[in-house]
Amino acid sequence: MTLAWQIFTCIACVALTVVSLCNAGKLPPPTNLSHKWLDPFTVTVSWSWEQPHNLPNNCKIKFEIHRVDKELNKYVVQTEWRHFTNSCLTEEMDSDYWNYTIRTISNPHCEGWNDSLSVIATVHTTKPRAELVKDFKCNLDPKGMNCSWIPLNRSLNLTLSYRKCGESDELIKTLKECDRYYRHGMRDGCYLNVDDRYTCINAQTEAALSTFKPLLVVPSPHLTIKQVEKNLRLTWTPPEVAVNCDWIYELCFKRCNEQEDCKNITEKKAETNEPYDDNCFYEFRSRVTTGHYCPRVSSDFSEIQTYGSNKPPDETLTVAAIVIPIILSLCVMLSCLCFKRHRTILCPIIPDPSALFKEMMMNGNRELKPTEERVYTPVPESTEPCNIEKENSVPQQNS
Ligand SMILES: *[C@@H]1O[C@H](CO)[C@@H](O)[C@H](O)[C@H]1NC(C)=O
Ligand SMILES: *[C@@H]1O[C@H](CO)[C@@H](O)[C@H](O)[C@H]1NC(C)=O
Ligand SMILES: *[C@@H]1O[C@H](CO)[C@@H](O)[C@H](O)[C@H]1NC(C)=O
Ligand SMILES: *[C@@H]1O[C@H](CO)[C@@H](O)[C@H](O)[C@H]1NC(C)=O
Ligand SMILES: *[C@@H]1O[C@H](CO)[C@@H](O)[C@H](O)[C@H]1NC(C)=O
Ligand SMILES: *[C@@H]1O[C@H](CO)[C@@H](O)[C@H](O)[C@H]1NC(C)=O
Ligand SMILES: *[C@@H]1O[C@H](CO)[C@@H](O)[C@H](O)[C@H]1NC(C)=O
């Protein structure tokens, strides 16, 4: 090999390396983005991607997808495919579209190739989203769920479809139309033949749609209250649904009209004992919610259930509070009356000595006797103690 040849090979090598390094740089971003709704809940976004011809063989690129929610970039997935599917519920968005950002990402074998810039895929719902129903809730029972709602506009023909939430092909096939509509007072309803607590609902009118997860409810617990020695034993039946879930029972009670006290009971045995004061009237109410590891299911508070009654200590107090003042006032009245009747005994009228003297001077002994009689009235008094007029007439001194 000549030196010239060696130099040539060397230069060629360097040149090749430089060229290949110069060609490296940012990976190209995805292009030609499009999307398609597979059902009311699931959208699939696809794109094209042109591979640079000089990409190293073991550089296997991927696409990374984020969903932009408000200022947040929520990671969705990394994929080698040129598409991805995602579930979207209209309750999760604050405008009428979702933005996904997609970029091509490199791996350590892609010498010199950096991640691409992000491109945005904007996904609109098939119809404008709108709030069509209010207070949508589903009563769970072992066979399905009895859902009801208040329609926002009764003159619109609302249709409901539902399936288990998720984005797999199998789940998409399970979408069902509601076929057991009913009307009950202010509320419209439909019975769904699905007892899955991960159900997603789609409500549609001709012009708008909304997709959401329903509020799941169960009947309020009914308490059985029994006195056991010095305690009240409260028992109840756990909900018939979601048997694998832990339930939290919120028990509130009022005793003797005191402030209501609440506590949460998480034990599985569906029973609690409360110290019982048998002089007290008790009021109980309760509700139930699922614990941490289950989708939220809850009940309203039950009707108030009562036990016992407020007894003697309170009643005697009440009685005393009413009767004692009555007795007292009666006594006062009677003693007043008595005092009035027997005033002359209790406080005899003492004749005015000057008047007596004057009378004596003017009328002599003739008039003295009746005056003396006045002083000694007791005799007629004992026979007619109540004659007040008579007494009043006596002291008239001008006669
Ligand atoms: C690739 O990324 C590295 C580190 O961020 C940077 O130093 C380099 O300039 C980038 N190369 C290109 C071609 O953008
Ligand atoms: C864009 O995508 C559509 C459908 O996926 C396809 O028919 C079309 O050829 C693509 N265009 C380019 C430039 O890749
Ligand atoms: C969504 O993307 C569009 C461009 O495609 C942009 O104009 C808009 O501001 C983006 N919205 C959000 C919330 O990022
Ligand atoms: C669903 O609830 C409504 C209203 O409470 C009731 O009239 C109806 O019988 C329930 N349907 C079933 C199947 O339980
Ligand atoms: C209810 O829907 C009907 C039919 O689309 C419409 O004419 C009416 O204005 C709507 N009423 C309200 C209160 O939105
Ligand atoms: C309401 O919608 C259902 C299903 O789309 C249809 O069968 C029915 O005829 C509609 N009723 C009215 C009054 O438009
Ligand atoms: C009981 O649990 C409920 C719901 O989990 C909560 O709102 C309430 O504050 C709790 N009450 C007590 C007394 O801990």
Side-chain angles (χ1 to χ4, degrees):
M1 234 192 266
T2 64
L3 184 70
W5 183 243
Q6 277 183 354
I7 288 170
F8 173 77
T9 338
C10 216
I11 288 171
C13 267
V14 168
L16 216 90
T17 320
V18 166
V19 163
S20 74
L21 275 181
C22 281
N23 270 351
K26 275 194 195 318
L27 289 165
T31 54
N32 197 18
L33 274 65
S34 63
H35 71 265
K36 191 174 146 205
W37 287 93
L38 303 179
D39 79 353
F41 312 104
T42 325
V43 69
T44 177
V45 177
S46 342
W47 56 88
S48 319
W49 189 68
E50 225 162 304
Q51 179 167 330
H53 62 275
N54 53 349
L55 204 64
N57 266 345
N58 50 0
C59 167
K60 298 265 179 280
I61 59 100
K62 277 188 181 170
F63 301 100
E64 189 180 75
I65 294 109
H66 285 84
R67 192 155 101 196
V68 190
D69 271 343
K70 295 178 191 164
E71 313 285 287
L72 273 171
N73 251 1
K74 246 181 9 193
Y75 172 79
V76 177
V77 74
Q78 274 191 11
T79 176
E80 294 166 22
W81 306 107
R82 307 280 147 96
H83 60 84
F84 75 92
T85 30
N86 195 209
S87 306
C88 303
L89 295 181
T90 53
E91 66 186 353
E92 290 170 355
M93 64 178 183
D94 57 359
S95 61
D96 53 2
Y97 63 85
W98 292 267
N99 274 357
Y100 291 97
T101 61
I102 309 168
R103 61 176 185 157
T104 323
I105 56 168
S106 60
N107 67 38
H109 299 293
C110 304
E111 296 138 18
W113 291 93
N114 282 359
D115 298 347
S116 80
L117 293 171
S118 291
V119 287
I120 296 175
T122 301
V123 169
H124 288 268
T125 48
T126 49
K127 290 177 187 176
R129 69 167 187 146
E131 200 192 4
L132 302 172
V133 296
K134 267 196 316 202
D135 192 26
F136 194 104
K137 58 184 178 191
C138 297
N139 268 296
L140 288 181
D141 67 41
K143 287 194 212 107
M145 46 178 89
N146 195 349
C147 300
S148 68
W149 61 89
I150 300 170
L152 279 180
N153 188 342
R154 237 177 225 290
S155 59
L156 297 177
N157 190 4
L158 188 90
T159 54
L160 225 64
S161 54
Y162 59 96
R163 67 167 171 81
K164 185 172 173 166
C165 303
E167 51 218 33
S168 75
D169 292 345
E170 288 72 42
L171 286 177
I172 289 169
K173 283 182 207 140
T174 64
L175 185 76
K176 285 201 198 79
E177 287 287 327
C178 189
D179 57 358
R180 289 166 73 181
Y181 291 101
Y182 65 82
R183 185 157 285 187
H184 190 259
M186 281 297 291
R187 303 179 73 86
D188 285 357
C190 184
Y191 191 87
L192 314 188
N193 292 309
V194 58
D195 65 350
D196 199 288
R197 281 162 287 123
Y198 299 88
T199 296
C200 278
I201 307 269
N202 165 239
Q204 283 202 44
T205 62
E206 216 173 357
L209 65 72
S210 96
T211 50
F212 51 88
K213 286 181 185 149
L215 176 72
L216 302 175
V217 296
V218 287
S220 324
H222 179 83
L223 302 173
T224 305
I225 308 169
K226 214 169 85 183
Q227 187 182 348
V228 177
E229 287 160 18
K230 289 207 170 341
N231 286 318
L232 277 190
R233 175 165 298 164
L234 305 166
T235 51
W236 55 87
T237 327
E240 292 177 283
V241 295
V243 283
N244 297 322
C245 287
D246 287 334
W247 294 96
I248 300 172
Y249 301 93
E250 191 171 356
L251 176 72
C252 295
F253 63 95
K254 245 168 134 171
R255 51 184 290 282
C256 280
N257 297 322
E258 283 168 12
Q259 183 112 24
E260 187 176 61
D261 195 15
C262 292
K263 63 184 201 175
N264 283 342
I265 299 158
T266 52
E267 285 106 84
K268 271 213 169 352
K269 59 181 188 299
E271 171 187 314
T272 186
N273 290 293
E274 293 298 326
Y276 179 48
D277 174 352
D278 60 6
N279 290 327
C280 269
F281 176 62
Y282 283 76
E283 289 176 60
F284 293 98
R285 57 192 194 118
S286 59
R287 65 175 173 185
V288 62
T289 43
T290 41
H292 288 307
Y293 305 107
C294 275
R296 189 180 161 84
V297 182
S298 60
S299 79
D300 288 335
F301 264 116
S302 61
E303 304 270 294
I304 287 174
Q305 289 180 255
T306 60
Y307 193 88
S309 55
N310 287 329
K311 277 217 241 18
D314 284 39
E315 277 168 20
T316 38
L317 268 183
T318 328
V319 165
I322 298 169
V323 168
I324 291 177
I326 292 179
I327 291 176
L328 269 177
S329 49
L330 264 175
C331 282
V332 169
M333 272 165 65
L334 280 175
S335 38
C336 280
L337 215 68
C338 216
F339 177 74
K340 211 171 174 190
R341 281 182 182 172
H342 299 283
R343 184 164 53 185
T344 38
I345 303 174
L346 294 167
C347 335
I349 297 164
I350 299 157
D352 183 358
S354 64
L356 206 65
F357 182 70
K358 217 158 99 189
E359 272 176 31
M360 278 168 68
M361 293 296 285
M362 286 170 79
N363 304 323
N365 286 347
R366 190 174 55 90
E367 283 295 318
L368 196 62
K369 203 159 187 188
T371 321
E372 279 176 337
E373 248 178 23
R374 265 174 253 150
V375 182
Y376 295 113
T377 12
V379 180
E381 274 306 303
S382 61
T383 52
E384 277 260 84
C386 290
N387 199 334
I388 292 160
E389 280 88 357
K390 195 177 170 186
E391 285 175 18
N392 285 347
S393 63
V394 178
Q396 303 254 325
Q397 283 145 9
N398 297 359
S399 55

